Amino acid sequence: MNQWLKQTTDFAARQITSIGVGLLGQLFDQADDVAFFIKNEHGQYVCVNESLAKRHGLKRAADAIGKRPSEICPGDFGQVPAEQDAKVLRTGRALVGHLEMQWHRPHRPVWCLTTKLPIIDSDDQIIGLVGFSRDVRVPVETDIIPNEFAQALEFFEQNPIEISTPSMLAERANMSLQRLARLTKRLFGLTPSQFIRQTRVATASRLLLDTDKTIADISFSSGFYDQSAFTRAFRAATGVTPSQFRQQTQNIRKD
């Protein structure tokens, strides 16, 4: 995958000002679970696939061209990726496999693994970036999942306060840490630690959306040590605090 990303970046660097970038967009139109994009040095979209457009409620991919994420996505759900872009463009450092929550129109957040690479020209100048966000989904049939592993996952999702480390999850599934890591990577594309963090934040997001529980109660119910730890983890995953998330998603649902 890293070699493929390097080849894609080199190609995009040569083609960013030509019609050739459209071919990449057409290629990624075949991947509904991937939001693909190329942006210029100002963080504006040069090319996107249809999946990205649909996620933001746009009728066609062309409607995103020339805009920044903050211009097509509400609140901090659009501001966070814009800030990521600015950092990649400023520092030249790639963002690889970053687990985060993104908003998927009309009314639901989704988990994604995001990668962004700088596009550098022959004069070593950063002229844009290329990247994608891939939905975190189970890519295989569930009957392939070992029964004890499936039971451990179900237990954890229902009782997030009972499991706090990969070792505890592995013990619950009656398997080694190494096998646990292989399975979570194969099934979810995540490390065990990423999976635990995602599950807890996902539980919290559902409670924020669907209940009137206080932030402190949700923090405990989601398995976090205290409200401060919850807020830090939630902000790292979504870019906003739990209170901001609740308010923004309520506003979006009203639109």
Side-chain angles (χ1 to χ4, degrees):
M1 178 62 74
N2 288 339
Q3 182 62 29
W4 178 86
L5 289 172
K6 182 179 185 302
Q7 292 172 351
T8 300
T9 304
D10 292 342
F11 174 79
R14 295 193 300 270
Q15 300 292 334
I16 193 169
T17 58
S18 75
I19 196 171
V21 297
L23 295 176
L24 288 173
Q26 292 175 30
L27 172 65
F28 280 93
D29 282 341
Q30 310 307 311
D32 292 337
D33 63 337
V34 174
F36 171 77
F37 49 84
I38 298 176
K39 301 175 186 178
N40 62 20
E41 68 271 24
H42 304 297
Q44 299 166 314
Y45 292 109
V46 174
C47 176
V48 305
N49 67 345
E50 292 293 337
S51 177
L52 185 146
K54 291 177 181 178
R55 289 157 191 259
H56 296 295
L58 303 177
K59 293 183 178 179
R60 53 198 183 121
D63 293 337
I65 304 305
K67 297 178 181 178
R68 297 180 177 86
S70 56
E71 297 177 88
I72 65 173
C73 190
D76 287 329
F77 284 103
Q79 188 60 37
V80 169
E83 292 174 354
Q84 290 175 351
D85 295 344
K87 185 174 182 180
V88 172
L89 292 167
R90 184 180 69 254
T91 66
R93 290 198 293 270
L95 179 74
V96 179
H98 177 65
L99 179 66
E100 61 187 6
M101 186 182 290
Q102 298 182 358
W103 191 256
H104 191 174
R105 289 287 191 173
H107 302 306
R108 64 185 179 91
V110 296
W111 283 95
C112 300
L113 285 171
T114 297
T115 291
K116 298 180 179 181
L117 303 177
I119 300 174
I120 302 174
D121 66 11
S122 57
D123 296 321
D124 289 331
Q125 298 298 310
I126 299 172
I127 60 172
L129 61 85
V130 59
F132 61 84
S133 291
R134 177 177 61 81
D135 293 352
V136 175
R137 297 177 179 174
V138 180
V140 297
E141 296 297 328
T142 54
D143 59 7
I144 296 176
I145 302 175
N147 187 52
E148 285 186 302
F149 182 62
Q151 290 177 353
L153 297 187
E154 183 178 0
F155 174 83
F156 176 48
E157 290 175 354
Q158 298 299 320
N159 306 276
I161 63 175
E162 299 294 333
I163 294 176
S164 59
T165 66
S167 295
M168 294 174 69
L169 184 58
E171 182 178 357
R172 183 81 191 185
N174 193 28
M175 62 179 58
S176 68
L177 269 173
Q178 292 78 8
R179 189 178 182 212
L180 175 71
R182 288 195 299 270
L183 279 171
T184 57
K185 192 68 174 179
R186 178 188 178 194
L187 299 174
F188 306 108
L190 302 173
T191 66
S193 294
Q194 286 177 320
F195 175 76
I196 290 172
R197 185 165 67 251
Q198 179 221 20
T199 300
R200 286 180 166 176
V201 174
T203 298
S205 68
R206 287 194 298 271
L207 293 173
L208 288 166
L209 285 169
D210 300 331
T211 74
D212 294 324
K213 287 186 175 182
T214 66
I215 302 300
D217 286 343
I218 290 174
S219 169
F220 176 77
S221 299
S222 304
F224 290 93
Y225 177 73
D226 56 29
Q227 187 170 335
S228 296
F230 170 48
T231 299
R232 287 195 300 272
F234 198 88
R235 185 195 289 272
T238 67
V240 296
T241 66
S243 296
Q244 290 170 330
F245 177 85
R246 173 175 270 172
Q247 184 61 51
Q248 288 184 20
T249 50
Q250 287 175 345
N251 291 339
I252 292 172
R253 282 180 161 182
K254 293 176 183 177
D255 294 343

